[in-house]
Amino acid sequence: MLPRPADSADPSPRPAAGPSPGPGSHPPARPGAGPAGRSTRRRGEALTRAIYRAAFEELARHGYDALAFDKLAPRAGTGKSVLYRRWSSPAELLLDAMNDPVEGFAGSPVPDTGTLRGDLLALLGGLARVLDEPRGRAIIPLLTDRGRPPELHDAVRTLVIVPHQDILIGRLRAAAERGEADPAAVTPLIASVGPRLILTETMQKGHVSEEDVVAVVDDVLLPLTAPRHPAGPNP
């Protein structure tokens, strides 16, 4: 067989080879991919928490009327179709967010400092700090307008106001047993005074400082609940 002529080879030029990758180098990442080509989108519980936080932040910034899935989805790092599959409305999403034990309000710690003053400072100071967070700032519009929508207003009362009142009644009862408080002060009405003052101050001023909490405790609650000593005989 005759040898193949040298000029019969494929005349089309071949692209020049680039520099060979050095040790430890990686191929270029695909657009939208995270490190090593992995997606950066959250999933599962992390995604749910991100959605709850986004809902509170949007509600705190823009109010309930502006709350919409197409605004929440980018902030949470997901698509709006994910939200529509899980919740029928922003109100339903907010109800789940408020009931969440991590991002919401389900469960308040019960202080047990050994003194009524310490318990009041811990409980009301904790409430003031929560109200200064996005989740706390988000519920203020829901308290001031019962009509948008009413189930959210009821949820704020059930998850925030009532639990703090119940805890306060328990702390007042313990203080009365130690002789620190008047047993007649162990009532739902008096227990509601502290949380309501913190909420009112937050709505009026936008922030309740530690000094404000101390003033509520020392100037209002402790005098209101102090033991009533029987009057002595007239001189």
Side-chain angles (χ1 to χ4, degrees):
M1 176 179 286
L2 295 176
R4 184 178 182 180
D7 57 358
S8 65
D10 185 1
S12 59
R14 296 186 181 183
S20 58
S25 63
H26 299 281
R30 298 187 304 275
R38 293 192 300 271
S39 172
T40 58
R41 282 198 170 184
R42 302 179 179 94
R43 299 181 186 278
E45 188 172 322
L47 174 59
T48 301
R49 301 276 186 260
I51 293 171
Y52 290 163
R53 288 193 297 270
F56 285 136
E57 290 166 3
E58 283 290 316
L59 181 59
R61 289 186 180 188
H62 305 296
Y64 180 78
D65 287 343
L67 199 63
F69 284 163
D70 58 347
K71 295 180 181 179
L72 292 179
R75 181 180 287 274
T78 189
K80 63 181 180 181
S81 61
V82 173
L83 305 185
Y84 280 110
R85 283 197 298 268
R86 298 180 64 177
W87 297 283
S88 62
S89 66
E92 185 178 311
L93 190 161
L94 283 173
L95 283 173
D96 282 354
M98 284 192 286
N99 278 281
D100 186 75
V102 176
E103 302 296 337
F105 304 97
S108 299
V110 179
D112 189 7
T113 66
T115 68
L116 178 59
R117 184 176 188 272
D119 290 347
L120 294 174
L121 289 174
L123 181 65
L124 299 180
L127 176 60
R129 287 189 293 273
V130 167
L131 293 176
D132 201 33
E133 299 173 1
R135 58 175 172 164
R137 292 193 295 270
I139 68 174
I140 299 302
L142 303 179
L143 285 171
T144 56
D145 190 347
R146 298 190 180 191
R148 282 202 304 261
E151 61 266 26
L152 292 177
H153 178 275
D154 294 342
V156 173
R157 174 173 172 76
T158 301
L159 294 170
V160 180
I161 299 175
V162 172
H164 282 82
Q165 292 177 1
D166 291 344
I167 293 172
L168 218 156
I169 286 180
R171 296 296 86 205
L172 284 173
R173 185 175 294 111
E177 292 172 355
R178 295 192 300 263
E180 280 189 277
D182 184 0
V186 186
T187 67
L189 179 62
I190 291 180
S192 70
V193 172
R196 290 180 183 275
L197 282 175
I198 298 298
L199 282 167
T200 301
E201 289 289 294
T202 301
M203 287 187 281
Q204 292 179 348
K205 299 165 56 176
H207 170 73
V208 175
S209 67
E210 184 177 346
E211 291 76 15
D212 293 330
V213 175
V214 171
V216 167
V217 171
D218 289 348
D219 299 342
V220 179
L221 296 180
L222 290 181
L224 186 62
T225 60
R228 305 294 190 261
H229 299 291
N234 293 329

